[in-house]
Amino acid sequence: MKNGYERFVRPLLFSIDPETAHHFTIACLRAASGAGPILGWLKSFQPKPDPRKLFGLDFANPIGLAAGLDKNGLALPAWAALGFGFIEIGTVTARAQPGNPRPRIFRFPEQRALINRLGFNNDGADAIAHRLDKLKRSGRWPGVPIGINIGKSMSTPITEAGADYLYSFQRLREFADYVVLNVSSPNTPGLRELQGADALAGLLGTIGEKNMNPRKPMVVKIAPDLTTDQLGQIIAICETNNVAAIIATNTTLDHSSVPADKDEQGGLSGEPVREKSTSLIREIVARSTIPIIASGGIMDADSAREKFAAGAQLVQIYTGLIYRGPGLIREIADAIA
Ligand SMILES: Cc1cc2nc3c(=O)[nH]c(=O)nc-3n(C[C@H](O)[C@H](O)[C@H](O)COP(=O)(O)O)c2cc1C
C-alpha cells in the first residue's frame, strides 16, 4: 500500500523537473530547520531510538542520509528531526563550483531509479565551513553524528588531488564526526582512478599526516563497478591506513537495466544498483572485518534487511527517499527493531 508521501507529495514533486523539485524540497527543509514548531511536528514521524556504536560514535539508529542530497549542509536540524540516525553532507570540494550543465538528474520511475551527472555542484569548503560554524553557534546543531564527504574540485588535475582533498579536510574537520573520501563518483573525470592502489594509499597518507588531535574517523566510499582484484587492493590499503569504515557503494555505470532509448550519461542509483552493492558488501565481509556502511538500492524494509544480513553495520538512503519519502526511515527502523 502506498504511504502518504507516495499518494500526495510524490505526484506533485514528480510533475516538475527533478532538480527544481530537489531545490524546492531543500528550501522547505532549510526553512523548517530554523522553525521550532515545524521541527517539533517533523519529530512526530521519528522512529524509536535504536542506538548503535561504531568507530567510537553513538548513532541514534543505523539509518543515515546518503551524501549528495544536502551537499551544502543547508538543513541539518530538519534531517535529524525526520529521524535520521546520522547525516552525511557533501560532496564538498575545495573550490565552489557549478557542476555540469542542466538537465543533469533524470528519473526512471519504472525502474525505481535515478541517473545523475551533477558533477559536484557545491558552495565550496570555505562557504560550507562558515555555514556550519554559524549553525554550531546558533545552538541548533543536531544531536546525531555528522559525516562530511569530500571530493576533488573539477579544475584540479588528478595529480594534485591530494592537496585539494586536504584543503577541504582541514577546513571542515572540526565540524565532522567522520570524514568520507569520495573516490567513486563517476561524474568528475579521473576521480575513480583514486581507487587505484597507489593513488588511494597516497591520498590516505596525505590526509593521515594531518589527522591529529583529535583524530577523525576516515571513511572511504567506493564504486560498485570494481573487479575482485581492485576490491582486494582497496581493502588492504584501507586496513593498513586504519580506515574506520567503507561505504559500499556509490552509483553504478552499468546502465543495462535502463531502456537504451531513454539512457543518459551519469551514475545510476536506486533499485538497479541494489544487488551489485549487496554483493560487494558480501565480498568485503568475506575478506575483512572493516565496518561497512551500505548504500545502494535501499528502497524498502527488505532491501535494508538484505544489507544488514550481508554484514553492513549502518545503511544510508538517497533514491529510496525520493521514491518513498521520509516514511521509509520508520519503515526500515520498525523492520529491524
Ligand atoms: C542526485 C544524486 C546526487 C548524488 N551526489 C553524491 C555526492 O555528491 N557524493 C556522493 O558520495 N554520493 C552522491 N550520490 C550517491 C548516493 O549518495 C548513493 O551512494 C547512491 O545514490 C546509491 O544509493 P541509493 O540507491 O540509495 O541512491 C548521489 C546520488 C544521487 C542520486
Side-chain angles (χ1 to χ4, degrees):
M1 206 176 74
K2 284 184 177 173
N3 64 33
Y5 170 89
E6 290 168 297
R7 271 186 292 164
F8 305 114
V9 183
R10 190 176 71 190
L12 290 175
L13 291 175
F14 275 31
S15 70
I16 53 179
D17 155 73
E19 195 165 342
T20 309
H22 174 84
H23 290 306
F24 172 73
T25 308
I26 293 287
C28 292
L29 291 171
R30 184 184 193 175
S33 290
I38 299 179
L39 286 182
W41 175 72
L42 290 179
K43 281 181 189 161
S44 63
F45 297 100
Q46 274 188 10
K48 281 196 238 56
D50 178 8
R52 311 283 168 118
K53 212 174 173 80
L54 193 67
F55 44 82
L57 298 178
D58 291 309
F59 294 81
N61 67 57
I63 306 151
L65 177 71
L69 235 161
D70 191 358
K71 289 176 190 279
N72 294 314
L74 291 166
L76 297 187
W79 297 120
L82 281 170
F84 281 108
F86 63 111
I87 302 161
E88 193 171 306
I89 66 161
T91 294
V92 181
T93 56
R95 283 189 281 280
Q97 55 183 33
N100 290 319
R102 286 171 79 158
R104 51 195 184 171
I105 307 180
F106 306 89
R107 299 186 189 103
F108 293 83
E110 278 170 31
Q111 286 73 26
R112 297 213 296 173
L114 297 171
I115 289 181
N116 91 84
R117 51 168 178 267
L118 289 165
F120 294 163
N121 53 317
N122 78 106
D123 294 341
D126 291 339
I128 294 170
H130 181 70
R131 177 171 302 134
L132 297 177
D133 185 48
K134 229 170 112 185
L135 181 67
K136 206 146 223 183
R137 283 187 287 115
S138 75
R140 284 181 288 114
W141 192 262
V144 298
I146 303 297
I148 303 189
N149 177 310
I150 58 177
K152 184 188 77 67
S153 308
M154 198 79 87
S155 59
T156 299
I158 200 75
T159 46
E160 287 158 34
D164 200 83
Y165 278 82
L166 186 58
Y167 183 84
S168 300
F169 176 76
Q170 291 189 301
R171 203 68 189 80
L172 293 162
R173 54 166 291 156
E174 68 179 285
F175 307 105
D177 293 300
Y178 69 92
V179 176
V180 182
L181 300 181
N182 179 4
V183 287
S184 49
S185 284
N187 303 312
T188 295
L191 192 90
R192 286 184 166 202
E193 289 167 24
L194 297 173
Q195 293 176 120
D198 293 347
L200 184 60
L203 184 58
L204 284 165
T206 303
I207 305 280
E209 271 175 33
K210 305 286 180 194
N211 187 10
M212 280 165 264
N213 305 324
R215 194 178 176 281
K216 295 286 168 171
M218 295 303 301
V219 173
V220 173
K221 184 165 180 178
I222 63 173
D225 313 311
L226 295 166
T227 64
T228 302
D229 274 0
Q230 286 172 319
L231 183 63
Q233 289 179 4
I234 291 172
I235 294 170
I237 288 158
C238 287
E239 283 174 343
T240 41
N241 285 277
N242 298 317
V243 163
I246 290 178
I247 301 181
T249 67
N250 214 311
T251 55
T252 181
L253 285 173
D254 174 1
H255 290 195
S256 52
S257 55
V258 168
D261 58 329
K262 292 197 185 134
D263 199 8
E264 290 286 345
Q265 203 186 324
L268 177 67
S269 61
E271 178 65 42
V273 79
R274 167 182 172 179
E275 237 175 80
K276 229 178 164 62
S277 295
T278 306
S279 24
L280 211 76
I281 294 171
R282 293 196 186 104
E283 273 195 69
I284 301 170
V285 170
R287 295 176 191 201
S288 173
T289 54
I290 196 156
I292 293 164
I293 303 174
S295 158
I298 299 170
M299 311 296 289
D300 49 26
D302 274 353
S303 42
R305 265 198 229 104
E306 174 184 292
K307 306 291 186 190
F308 289 112
Q313 274 82 1
L314 306 171
V315 297
Q316 291 181 322
I317 56 177
Y318 190 132
T319 307
L321 194 63
I322 308 299
Y323 280 90
R324 308 286 323 286
L328 177 58
I329 306 168
R330 198 156 172 175
E331 183 181 316
I332 297 173
D334 288 348
I336 61 172

